[in-house]
Amino acid sequence: MNSTVIVKLMENLINKKFYKTKDEAIAKLDVYFAMNRISEEEYATLTLLAEETYAQEVL
C-alpha cells in the first residue's frame, strides 16, 4: 500500500470519526509514520485533521 492510499484512507476514517478518540486515530498515524509508510508532512497534515475533527466533540 503506497502513502497516497494510506493518506486517503486515514482522511476518510478520521472525517467519519471511525476511531472513538483522537488519541486512537493519532496512535494509528504513529504506526504508519514509524514504519515509514507516510511522510513527515503527511503525518503532520493528518494529525492536524484529527485534532480539528475530534475537537468538535468537546463543544
Side-chain angles (χ1 to χ4, degrees):
M1 196 179 307
N2 66 30
S3 70
T4 306
V5 174
I6 293 170
V7 169
K8 269 294 187 205
L9 175 69
M10 289 304 297
E11 282 177 355
N12 289 336
L13 291 174
I14 291 169
N15 283 323
K16 294 179 185 212
K17 294 188 178 179
F18 175 80
Y19 300 101
K20 292 181 183 177
T21 65
K22 172 189 72 169
D23 291 337
E24 283 183 39
I26 291 176
K28 187 66 168 183
L29 294 173
D30 289 345
V31 171
Y32 285 130
F33 184 63
M35 300 302 291
N36 291 321
R37 295 298 203 159
I38 59 175
S39 70
E40 189 172 342
E41 183 178 317
E42 292 166 332
Y43 176 79
T45 302
L46 289 168
T47 301
L48 285 173
L49 177 62
E51 293 277 351
E52 293 169 1
T53 303
Y54 286 92
Q56 295 170 4
E57 290 179 353
V58 176
L59 299 176

